[in-house]
Amino acid sequence: MKGKTRRVLLVFCLAWVLLSACTTMPSPTLPSSSSTSPASPASSLSPITATSSETPSAPIVQPSPSLPVDSSPAPAPNSSSTLVPEIPPSPAPTRPAVEESTATPTFLATASRQDQDGWIHLVIQGDPYQRGLQHGYLLAGEIVEAIRVRDALLQMDMGLTFAEVSATAAEMYGPMLDQEIRQEMQGIADGVNLGSLEAPGEELTFEEVLGWNSLIDLSTMWAVNTSGSSLNDHCSAFIATGSYTQDGEIVMGHNSWADYAGFAVWRVMLDLRPEQGHRIVMQSAPGLVWSGSDYFISDAGLVGCETTFFNWQRFDSTGLPVFLRTRWAMQYADSIDRFVEILNDRNNGGYANGWLLGDVRTNEIARFEQGLAATRLDRTVDGYYAGYNAAEDPAIQAESGGWNADDPSNFSGARRIRWGQLLEANKGSLDSELGMTMLGDHYDTWLEREEPSSRTLCGHYEQYGAPCGAMDGKVTNSQMARQMSTWARWGLPCGMAFDAEQAIAVNPGYGRLEGLLTDLPSQNWTIF
């Protein structure tokens, strides 16, 4: 990025940022692992293949033959996955001129932005470059502010510049981009530069947009390389169908856990209407071509969300990045099996998750646990699955250093118990309204009382001296998903408010976040 001040592009609520923001939070006791000691912290990002230096604590099983992982070499430059159609290269786009006037640029004719109850509802459509141009132009101000905040946090917590991050992303993932994503990213950069009348002189580059979209992959690599594991512990989720729901169809809910300063930009409800593939409605952040929080609905009839696996210890730097595989799966999958197949294509282990998926055409639901060498797919038309940041499959638990939900005192175990209590107690009556209530639940099963904490479905870390926890809520059902619609609440899903100025005054340790933390007022649930 060019300008008077070198800026670091927006990064997701990465594990090390969350942990550094939560320095006084009690650390969970991790199961012992026979893996080798992690390398000393590196001063910069460098590609590694964790699988070549670690010995898993338990045998790693290969995925089922019906869900193969393609172990072929990385794709040639500008090539996409073999599982999605290639978008033919178009002539180099010409940035349209935008005059400082009240006239609406012509490229915005098929786009819109609406601010509603804390969310930004963004609709973009057209060819890849046009969609990116609309995205960057309409969110230019948010991208500039998000960069300012993330610049400070990244330097404060990691000591890395975004120039280093962008260079690594360009080297590792630039050759893997398909034409569609490449053109959309270029459009975002050009749109910000055209639309940044609020910040004149700013200049965003394609490489920085690529770096921003690559940060979750690179954060996993960095964490595994420096500390041996990626300590993600955020998000609660459920999906239910059949005899568990009021109408026998799917109900799905999800909330995102993060540090309040870093995740405050994840308030975009993006309605992506591409020329090829399927329309997607997904939670996202300014400048992303994918979700990053992974709550989505597609007009193929698919719905999904995920929770990350805590203490993740595996990464393959030769694999396809998660931002590509996830975007392709959401846009091009027309079934649960196809979604899983695309996610598994040259999986790099970045952002290992437990996916909760549903098909509203059949009301079948699935839980897809994706490790690196191991995966597991469970499915049913009568039952439920829940997400609590731990895998059920022993082989995937081994790739997480043995972390599991068997201990009722940890944040995974307590939430598994609570999900079971609520979903069983409300069998036959689950609907969207109950889903909203459950996402704001504060009952701590370990303490056996109402007390918001890291063990409750609506997570809170303030009592540990850390400004982080659950920051949103989303719920949909089969009927709504067929209409590409969802309920969403920005801010704490329980409805509590967070006052940044008051929090800084009460907690001296928050002083470093002055000017970075923002208020999270109590917002209404709203329909998109």
Side-chain angles (χ1 to χ4, degrees), residues 3 21 34 60 66 71 98 100 117 121 195 201 229 268 297 316 370 413 442 445 507:
S34 60
I60 301 298
S66 62
S71 60
V98 177
E100 293 188 37
D117 293 318
H121 185 208
S229 64
V268 177
I297 303 166
D316 180 358
Q370 184 179 41
H442 286 163
T445 59
N507 299 277

Side-chain angles (χ1 to χ4, degrees), residues 142-214:
E142 282 73 25
I143 293 174
V144 169
E145 173 60 15
I147 290 168
R148 181 193 71 81
V149 173
R150 187 50 62 181
D151 182 11
L153 292 175
L154 191 58
Q155 294 189 45
M156 187 186 304
D157 295 319
M158 294 178 59
L160 287 173
T161 67
F162 193 74
E164 294 172 297
V165 174
S166 294
T168 301
E171 178 183 357
M172 290 180 64
Y173 299 136
M176 298 183 183
L177 295 180
D178 62 319
Q179 286 297 325
E180 179 175 27
I181 297 301
R182 183 178 297 276
Q183 292 173 20
E184 196 170 319
M185 287 184 175
Q186 184 64 60
I188 291 173
D190 291 347
V192 168
N193 299 333
L194 289 170
S196 57
L197 300 178
E198 303 170 32
E202 301 293 345
E203 187 75 12
L204 186 67
T205 68
F206 166 83
E207 288 75 17
E208 289 168 318
V209 177
L210 172 58
W212 160 216
N213 279 270
S214 304

Side-chain angles (χ1 to χ4, degrees), residues 31 309-310 367 369 386-393 397 400 402-419 445:
F309 293 147
F310 180 74
R367 176 178 58 201
E369 296 185 343
Y388 32 79
N389 306 115
E392 292 298 320
D393 187 89
Q397 291 173 3
S400 300
W403 182 260
N404 58 63
D406 294 339
D407 183 349
S409 70
N410 71 37
F411 50 75
S412 291
R415 285 183 292 147
R416 181 171 68 176
I417 292 171
R418 186 56 175 163
W419 276 128
T445 59

Side-chain angles (χ1 to χ4, degrees), residues 191-365:
V192 168
N193 299 333
L194 289 170
S196 57
L197 300 178
E198 303 170 32
E202 301 293 345
E203 187 75 12
L204 186 67
T205 68
F206 166 83
E207 288 75 17
E208 289 168 318
V209 177
L210 172 58
W212 160 216
N213 279 270
S214 304
L215 274 165
I216 286 182
D217 293 277
L218 297 182
S219 73
T220 303
M221 182 180 74
W222 182 87
V224 171
N225 194 29
T226 58
S227 65
S229 64
S230 179
L231 301 178
N232 295 311
D233 68 335
H234 38 276
C235 304
S236 294
F238 78 94
I239 191 167
T241 192
S243 63
Y244 280 83
T245 64
Q246 188 177 71
D247 61 5
E249 297 194 314
I250 293 171
V251 180
M252 180 182 76
H254 177 271
N255 62 32
S256 307
W257 296 22
D259 66 289
Y260 295 162
F263 197 74
V265 297
W266 246 266
R267 59 188 187 96
V268 177
M269 194 60 70
L270 177 59
D271 187 340
L272 176 68
R273 304 180 183 188
E275 292 182 327
Q276 295 193 36
H278 297 285
R279 177 185 170 194
I280 314 164
V281 172
M282 60 183 173
Q283 182 183 12
S284 189
L288 288 188
V289 299
W290 66 305
S291 171
S293 67
D294 298 336
Y295 177 88
F296 79 97
I297 303 166
S298 84
D299 70 6
L302 299 182
V303 298
C305 59
E306 47 82 358
T307 67
T308 52
F309 293 147
F310 180 74
N311 197 40
W312 186 250
Q313 299 182 354
R314 308 296 296 278
F315 188 81
D316 180 358
S317 61
T318 67
L320 286 172
V322 69
F323 76 84
L324 282 179
R325 291 181 288 111
T326 301
R327 165 62 184 270
W328 290 337
M330 291 182 185
Q331 183 176 348
Y332 291 106
D334 54 10
S335 66
I336 291 173
D337 287 327
R338 187 67 166 171
F339 191 95
V340 168
E341 185 181 15
I342 294 173
L343 278 184
N344 271 336
D345 185 25
R346 285 164 283 178
N347 171 28
N348 69 348
Y351 209 42
N353 294 317
W355 285 87
L356 306 182
L357 302 168
D359 186 333
V360 301
R361 298 164 301 183
T362 63
N363 288 305
E364 180 185 37
I365 62 173

Side-chain angles (χ1 to χ4, degrees), residues 106-127:
T106 57
F107 62 81
L108 295 180
T110 59
S112 67
R113 168 185 171 153
Q114 181 180 5
D115 293 54
Q116 184 174 350
D117 293 318
W119 292 94
I120 300 172
H121 185 208
L122 181 68
V123 178
I124 57 175
Q125 56 186 313
D127 64 49

